[in-house]
Amino acid sequence: MAHTTDQTVLDHIERLVAEEKTLYHKGEISDAEKERLAAVNVELDRYWDLLRQRRALREFGKNPDEAEVRPARTVENYTG
């Protein structure tokens, strides 16, 4: 992403959700489509995490642009 704002993050999330819905509504999907669906789900988790980071930084008076997309292994293994 060029310049990241909450809106650009939300726009990316919306595109991923649309792709996810398309894949789910196909019914039977190929192995490649299953892999893509898994990748979309991970990317969704990463970008929701980014949005939460941005909002938290802003809430505490910090620069939301300091937020970064974290690695999938970090986001997927997050336990709170």
Side-chain angles (χ1 to χ4, degrees):
M1 285 189 190
H3 176 70
T4 303
T5 65
D6 288 4
Q7 190 58 55
T8 58
V9 173
L10 283 167
D11 291 345
H12 188 68
I13 288 170
E14 287 177 13
R15 284 190 299 277
L16 290 168
V17 168
E19 183 177 356
E20 179 185 49
K21 284 182 181 178
T22 298
L23 288 167
Y24 274 127
H25 284 95
K26 285 183 109 174
E28 268 310 302
I29 60 175
S30 68
D31 288 343
E33 289 168 326
K34 287 177 188 174
E35 286 180 26
R36 179 59 189 153
L37 184 57
V40 166
N41 285 317
V42 170
E43 192 166 352
L44 275 169
D45 289 345
R46 293 176 72 207
Y47 277 82
W48 278 117
D49 174 69
L50 176 62
L51 188 60
R52 285 189 294 273
Q53 286 180 61
R54 291 181 59 79
R55 289 175 175 171
L57 285 166
R58 188 178 296 108
E59 180 180 344
F60 290 98
K62 297 186 178 180
N63 183 353
D65 291 335
E66 292 175 10
E68 295 181 358
V69 178
R70 294 193 273 199
R73 68 182 176 280
T74 300
V75 175
E76 294 299 295
N77 294 318
Y78 183 73
T79 58

